[in-house]
């Protein structure tokens, strides 16, 4: 059993699996195998052959570059480039058909222009290369293509070396000397992957757990960095932290602890695998005390390699809400599995996105050819997250979007894709009588941004419109067949997963409760505008009562309300959009065992079928969503209400090594404009007192309301 301390704190528990855990672990591994997560031996060999051939090609390319630039024969002979892998392939969690993230490291005189010029020309002439698509202007420039059917994402980094040795170690900090920002970002993928593998106590348990969480995230619709959820590296970092906190746990235990910990995590406290270091090269790193943009991040998951950065800056208020609901659902099902009242299949049940809401935003795009569609699709997908942020900004965070991470296609319409967003009112927002949202200008701004594409062609087209659930096209449903009846229960509730099994929560409540669907009344005022009134379609599951767990509520307590809400939304043609609302939200808090605590983000805990509905018109009342600073270290009870006494005893300590200078400023939600109330001087602790309450008293308040 592991006795070494990993990460920034002592483990929560060093206990190993029991006999029941061993049985559950075998069941989980069988489920993963049956789900087809492991590639065949033949496919593995093919990938190795492709990587070997690609390495030969880049070596040939760098010699051609040296020869073209007039270097002597000796330097041409010594010229070298090397291929590295990172991402899921390097971590050992890739599945059949997955792409391979690769990095080409070249010498200082082989410039990025040569990479997207000469190397692109060489690849274009090779018959084994298909779907070659260079993206030189991306945040991390990349060349995408298929090599004998294997998808490749190829980055480039030209380091400050004249000759690239075959035993080059990119994890060395010296690799970042005298290089541009694009090279630093390109190198960071390999450096982070290697650090993750170095920082986990058991690589095999980490890999099995990560495979499990990746499958779960994809089935539940929260695996997509580009739409504001989490991507592969984000899930790897979250899993790695759980492995550090439970170093001797089996994968089945780690999956359960994953949901237990992150369902209680107090965002935006960061997830850290190791202390953040300033380094010796003066590169910018994640530090919310000094960087305003870092204070806007809602769900910081910090990379372990220098320079440490937030890997999840794409997360918005809306997508964080969705993920927290999923963490709560996962925790409830894992508790039922441990009580032998559920199976692993229930945890991985796909999220019924098109049954969860009554109102959707539909984004249609089209192009004239396959190449144009590929470029246009990539650009539009990168902007959809901005639409979510713009709607949150212009409605003061009250109207929230749930983007579906994938696209849908009508087979009768070539080069045509559709994207969908579920819409609803923010849970816990204080509804005012007659409140109205007007997002016509918001949608027009989004359209202008999309049409500002540098390589836009007249055949590239986009349209946005509102669609009710009953009017959804058939091609969004499996097999093109519309379900006979939409689900009426909470799509994130465990009821449908567990069948008739019911488990009592700590306060005696039943394990699942109904979600109230949003009621919609839609009226057309003209061809140019559409007004909608809707209430929430998907409040989360039951309100959990965990004794001795306290939540810092701050100013957001005054905006909490215990009624279902209605909202009116106006969208300019062809862009009608709805909104919806739900019940109160609370935070059940988990704080990383470190001195760095940077505030609080309300999670999403629902209350069943509450109260009367209120119609909203005439503007949106501003609500203070600023996060309060927590200065005291977390208590053991703030981590895991259901944890064992041994676990509670081990989590209260703090780590003095993580950014332990001054305390941190109050954080600002990402979608809101900077508040004038922020103190000009840094590191001033807000003087407003924190409001604390116990969940026992909260339940009584809820019931009396």
């Amino acid at each position: 059993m592991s006795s070494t301390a990993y990460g920034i704190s002592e483990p929560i528990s060093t206990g190993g699996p029991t006999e029941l855990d061993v049985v559950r672990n075998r069941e989980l591994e069988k489920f993963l195998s049956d789900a087809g997560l492991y590639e065949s031996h033949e496919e593995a060999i093919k990938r190795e052959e492709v990587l070997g051939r690609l390495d030969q090609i880049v070596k040939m390319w760098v010699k051609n570059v040296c020869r073209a630039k007039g270097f002597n024969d000796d330097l041409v002979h010594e010229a070298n480039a090397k291929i590295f892998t990172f991402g899921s392939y390097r971590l050992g969690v890739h599945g059949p058909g997955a792409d391979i993230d690769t990095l080409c490291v070249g010498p200082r005189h082989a410039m990025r222009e040569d990479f997207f010029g000469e190397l692109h020309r060489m690849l274009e002439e090779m018959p084994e290369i298909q779907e070659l698509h260079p993206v030189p202007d991306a945040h991390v420039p990349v060349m995408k293509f298929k090599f004998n059917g294997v998808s490749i994402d190829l980055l480039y980094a030209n380091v400050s070396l004249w000759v690239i040795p075959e035993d080059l170690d990119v994890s060395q900090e010296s690799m970042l000397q005298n290089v541009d920002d694009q090279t630093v970002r390109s190198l960071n993928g390999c450096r982070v992957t290697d650090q993750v593998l170095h920082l986990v106590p058991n690589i095999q348990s980490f890999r099995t757990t990560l495979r499990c969480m990746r499958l779960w995230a994809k089935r539940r619709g929260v695996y997509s960095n580009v739409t504001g959820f989490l991507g592969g590296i984000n899930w790897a970092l979250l899993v790695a932290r759980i492995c550090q906190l439970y170093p001797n746990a089996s994968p089945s235990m780690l999956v359960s602890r994953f949901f237990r910990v992150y369902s209680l995590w107090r965002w935006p406290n960061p997830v850290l695998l190791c202390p953040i270091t300033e380094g010796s090269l003066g590169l910018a790193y994640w530090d919310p005390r000094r960087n305003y943009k870092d204070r806007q991040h809602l769900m910081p998951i910090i990379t372990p390699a220098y320079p440490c950065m937030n890997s999840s800056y794409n997360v918005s208020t809306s997508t964080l809400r969705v993920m927290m609901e999923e963490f709560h659902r996962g925790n409830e099902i894992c508790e039922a599995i441990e009580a032998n009242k559920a199976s692993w299949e229930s945890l991985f049940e796909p999220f019924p996105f098109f049954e969860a809401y009554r109102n959707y935003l539909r984004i249609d795009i089209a192009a004239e050819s396959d190449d144009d569609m590929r470029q246009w699709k990539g650009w539009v997908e990168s902007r959809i997250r901005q639409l979510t942020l713009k709607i949150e900004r212009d409605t003061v965070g009250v109207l929230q979007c749930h983007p579906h991470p994938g696209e849908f296609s009508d087979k009768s319409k070539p080069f045509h894709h559709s994207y969908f967003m579920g819409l609803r009112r923010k849970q816990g927002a204080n509804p005012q009588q007659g409140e109205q949202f007007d997002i016509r200008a918001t949608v027009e701004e989004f359209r202008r941004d999309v049409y500002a594409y540098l390589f836009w062609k007249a055949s590239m087209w986009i349209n946005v419109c509102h669609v009710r659930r009953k009017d959804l096209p058939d091609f969004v449903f499996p097999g093109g067949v519309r379900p006979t009846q939409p689900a009426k229960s909470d799509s994130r509730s465990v009821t449908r997963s567990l069948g008739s099994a019911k488990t009592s929560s700590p306060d005696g409540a039943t394990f699942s409760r109904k979600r109230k669907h949003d009621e919609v009344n839609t009226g057309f005022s003209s061809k140019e505008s559409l007004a909608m009134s809707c209430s929430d379609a998907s409040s989360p599951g039951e309100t959990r009562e965990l004794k001795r767990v306290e939540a810092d509520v701050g100013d957001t307590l005054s905006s909490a309300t215990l009624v279902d809400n209605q909202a009116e939304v106006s969208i300019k043609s062809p862009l009608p959009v709805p909104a919806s609302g739900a019940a109160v939200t609370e935070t059940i808090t988990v704080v990383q065992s470190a001195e760095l605590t940077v505030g609080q983000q309300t999670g999403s805990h629902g209350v069943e079928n509450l109260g009367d509905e209120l119609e909203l018109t005439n503007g949106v009342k501003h609500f203070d969503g600023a996060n309060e600073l927590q200065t005291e270290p977390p208590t053991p009870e703030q981590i895991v209400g259901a944890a064992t006494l041994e676990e509670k005893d081990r989590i209260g300590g703090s780590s003095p090594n993580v950014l332990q200078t001054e305390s941190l400023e109050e954080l600002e939600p990402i979608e809101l404009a900077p508040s004038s109330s922020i103190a000009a001087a840094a590191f001033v602790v807000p003087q407003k007192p924190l409001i604390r309450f116990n969940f026992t008293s909260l339940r009584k308040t809820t019931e009396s309301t």
Side-chain angles (χ1 to χ4, degrees):
M1 295 173 60
S2 175
S3 59
T4 305
Y6 290 86
I8 64 172
S9 65
E10 293 294 319
I12 294 177
S13 172
T14 58
T18 64
E19 292 183 3
L20 287 177
D21 290 323
V22 172
V23 172
R24 281 192 286 266
N25 192 67
R26 283 200 297 265
E27 294 172 348
L28 177 61
E29 291 182 343
K30 183 179 184 305
F31 176 85
L32 298 180
S33 179
D34 293 343
L37 295 191
Y38 299 92
E39 67 178 356
S40 65
H41 179 66
E42 293 74 16
E43 187 175 359
I45 292 177
K46 183 178 180 180
R47 288 176 183 270
E48 292 176 2
E49 292 174 348
V50 165
L51 289 173
R53 176 70 179 125
L54 183 60
D55 192 60
Q56 294 175 358
I57 292 172
V58 298
K59 293 180 189 304
M60 185 188 312
W61 159 73
V62 78
K63 292 182 185 297
N64 291 344
V65 169
C66 291
R67 193 175 293 111
K69 293 187 176 183
F71 290 101
N72 59 47
D73 292 341
D74 290 338
L75 193 53
V76 171
H77 178 73
E78 292 179 353
N80 189 33
K82 186 171 174 57
I83 290 292
F84 295 86
T85 62
F86 62 98
S88 62
Y89 185 82
R90 176 70 180 92
L91 289 172
V93 296
H94 61 286
D99 60 0
I100 305 179
D101 295 311
T102 56
L103 169 70
C104 174
V105 178
R108 60 191 306 170
H109 49 275
M111 309 302 292
R112 189 168 289 105
E113 292 78 11
D114 301 316
F115 177 80
F116 286 102
E118 174 64 16
L119 181 59
H120 178 269
R121 184 192 62 77
M122 291 174 60
L123 294 175
E124 201 170 30
E125 294 175 354
M126 296 180 178
E128 59 265 46
I129 303 295
Q130 305 92 27
E131 300 180 16
L132 181 60
H133 178 47
V135 193
D137 299 320
H139 187 65
V140 182
V142 60
M143 195 128 55
K144 297 173 177 285
F145 54 91
K146 286 188 176 181
F147 197 136
N148 285 335
V150 177
S151 296
I152 301 288
D153 287 353
L154 180 61
L155 312 184
Y156 181 64
N158 60 318
V159 297
S160 57
L161 296 174
W162 287 101
V163 178
I164 303 298
E166 279 297 312
D167 59 350
L168 180 69
D169 183 6
V170 296
S171 64
Q172 296 296 317
E173 193 173 303
S174 60
M175 289 291 98
L176 304 178
Q177 286 183 324
N178 303 318
V179 298
D180 59 19
D181 291 341
Q182 290 175 317
T183 294
V184 172
R185 290 192 289 266
S186 297
L187 286 168
N188 208 35
C190 289
R191 292 165 53 80
V192 168
T193 303
D194 290 344
Q195 273 292 91
V196 169
L197 293 174
H198 177 70
L199 290 170
V200 295
N202 186 314
I203 292 179
Q204 189 56 49
S205 293
F206 164 75
R207 285 173 170 164
T208 302
T209 307
L210 181 54
R211 283 185 185 273
C212 180
M213 295 313 306
R214 285 163 57 93
L215 175 64
W216 172 85
K218 290 174 181 178
R219 290 196 176 180
R220 299 302 296 177
V222 292
Y223 189 99
S224 175
N225 183 278
V226 70
T227 54
F229 294 108
L230 301 182
I233 188 59
N234 310 127
W235 292 109
L237 294 173
L238 291 181
V239 170
R241 184 61 185 137
I242 300 302
C243 292
Q244 290 180 339
L245 294 175
Y246 300 90
N248 299 312
S250 63
S252 64
M253 297 170 63
L254 292 171
V255 170
S256 175
R257 293 342 182 246
F258 180 98
F259 290 114
R260 178 186 297 176
V261 170
Y262 291 122
S263 67
L264 304 177
W265 197 271
R266 182 182 296 167
W267 305 105
N269 287 302
V271 173
L272 300 163
L273 299 187
C274 61
I276 295 177
T277 58
E278 296 186 10
S280 60
L281 302 179
L283 298 176
Y285 59 93
W286 188 83
D287 186 352
R289 301 165 307 173
R290 297 179 174 89
N291 306 322
Y292 172 74
K293 288 185 178 180
D294 293 345
R295 295 199 295 271
Q296 293 180 303
H297 295 165
L298 301 182
M299 193 181 187
I301 304 172
I302 310 304
T303 57
Y306 174 78
C308 297
M309 305 299 292
N310 177 25
S311 64
S312 53
Y313 57 85
N314 277 354
V315 173
S316 67
T317 302
S318 296
T319 53
L320 177 59
R321 179 264 304 176
V322 172
M323 287 187 285
M324 287 303 296
E325 290 177 359
E326 289 298 333
F327 290 158
H328 285 293
R329 172 191 176 273
N331 184 48
E332 291 176 343
I333 293 181
C334 284
E335 289 176 355
I337 291 174
E338 292 177 348
N340 294 322
K341 295 184 178 180
S343 64
W344 291 112
E345 286 79 3
S346 59
L347 178 64
F348 295 92
E349 182 182 78
F351 176 61
F353 180 81
F354 292 107
E355 299 173 13
Y357 302 94
R358 289 196 180 226
N359 292 283
Y360 296 86
L361 199 62
R362 175 176 174 176
I363 304 170
D364 293 306
I365 65 171
E368 196 171 49
S369 66
D370 190 51
D371 287 340
D372 288 350
M373 188 71 240
R374 189 182 304 113
Q375 296 181 35
W376 185 233
K377 174 176 174 288
W379 168 252
V380 172
E381 287 177 350
S382 72
R383 310 312 297 171
I384 288 178
R385 184 182 73 92
Q386 295 299 321
L387 177 58
T388 301
L389 295 176
K390 291 176 190 297
I391 292 175
E392 291 177 353
R393 176 200 65 194
D394 294 345
T395 62
V396 202
V398 179
L399 181 61
Q400 294 187 328
C401 307
H402 179 178
H404 191 285
E407 78 275 3
F408 298 86
S409 300
D410 185 348
K411 294 181 179 179
S412 64
K413 298 179 180 179
F415 314 126
H416 185 285
H417 294 304
S418 299
Y419 301 87
F420 292 85
M421 289 183 178
L423 296 110
R424 78 174 195 179
R425 167 182 292 278
K426 176 183 174 65
Q427 301 166 43
N430 190 14
Q432 298 295 318
Q433 189 75 17
E435 213 156 13
Q436 182 179 11
F437 302 110
D438 184 351
I439 62 173
R440 289 173 293 183
T442 306
V443 175
E444 286 304 318
E445 180 185 350
F446 167 72
R447 287 164 57 86
R448 287 194 301 270
D449 289 349
V450 171
Y451 279 123
Y453 181 43
L454 185 61
F455 304 103
W456 180 82
K457 299 179 181 179
S459 61
M460 295 176 178
W461 169 85
I462 182 172
N463 182 54
V464 186
C465 65
H466 163 252
V467 58
R468 298 191 221 179
R469 184 175 61 201
K470 66 184 182 65
D471 299 322
L472 287 168
D474 290 343
F475 63 77
V476 304
F477 299 102
V481 179
R482 180 184 299 271
T484 54
Q485 290 184 346
K488 294 184 179 181
S489 61
D490 183 354
S491 59
R492 287 194 180 85
S493 170
V494 298
T495 305
R496 299 173 62 208
S497 300
L498 305 183
S500 60
K502 292 184 179 181
T503 302
S504 295
S505 61
D507 61 353
T510 56
F511 194 47
S512 60
R513 298 181 178 177
K514 280 188 176 181
R515 157 189 290 180
K516 186 167 184 177
H517 282 301
D518 49 353
E519 308 279 338
V520 181
N521 293 312
T522 304
F524 289 88
S525 56
S526 69
K527 290 184 178 181
E528 296 300 319
S529 65
L530 172 62
M532 280 161 285
S533 176
C534 61
S535 64
D536 187 19
S538 56
S539 60
E542 63 175 7
T543 299
R544 296 175 54 84
E545 178 184 322
L546 299 180
K547 294 183 178 180
R548 302 175 64 194
V549 176
E550 292 185 336
D552 295 331
V553 184
D555 293 335
T556 60
L557 183 63
S558 61
S559 66
T561 180
L562 303 179
V563 296
D564 284 341
N565 306 323
Q566 287 185 337
E568 288 188 357
V569 183
S570 291
I571 309 177
K572 196 170 183 179
S573 175
L575 312 164
V577 182
S580 45
V584 71
T585 68
E586 296 99 33
T587 303
I588 301 178
T589 60
V590 169
V591 180
Q592 178 128 356
S593 298
E595 194 164 308
L596 177 61
T597 58
V598 295
Q600 164 182 319
Q601 178 71 27
T602 54
S604 53
H605 250 324
V607 180
E608 57 172 330
N609 296 337
L610 295 174
D612 300 326
E613 297 175 353
L614 300 180
E615 186 179 358
L616 306 178
T617 58
N618 299 329
V620 180
K621 181 179 178 181
H622 177 78
F623 66 94
D624 184 4
N627 302 299
E628 295 289 357
L629 176 69
Q630 177 172 334
T631 55
E632 71 274 13
T635 61
E637 291 82 359
Q638 284 178 302
I639 289 289
V640 184
T644 63
L645 292 176
E646 177 190 6
E647 291 173 335
K648 291 182 178 181
D649 291 340
R650 302 305 297 274
I651 202 163
S654 63
S655 171
N657 298 321
V658 185
L659 288 177
Q660 53 170 350
T661 54
E662 304 88 342
S663 57
L664 304 180
E665 280 191 84
E666 188 172 8
L667 302 191
E668 290 287 325
I670 190 170
E671 77 278 5
L672 301 182
S675 172
S676 60
S677 63
I678 299 179
F683 316 125
V684 177
V685 178
Q687 298 302 311
K688 293 179 290 185
L690 296 179
I691 303 175
R692 296 178 176 273
F693 64 92
N694 187 280
F695 276 92
T696 304
S697 61
L698 172 66
R699 178 168 179 78
K700 295 178 181 178
T701 304
T702 302
E703 292 173 344
S704 62
T705 304

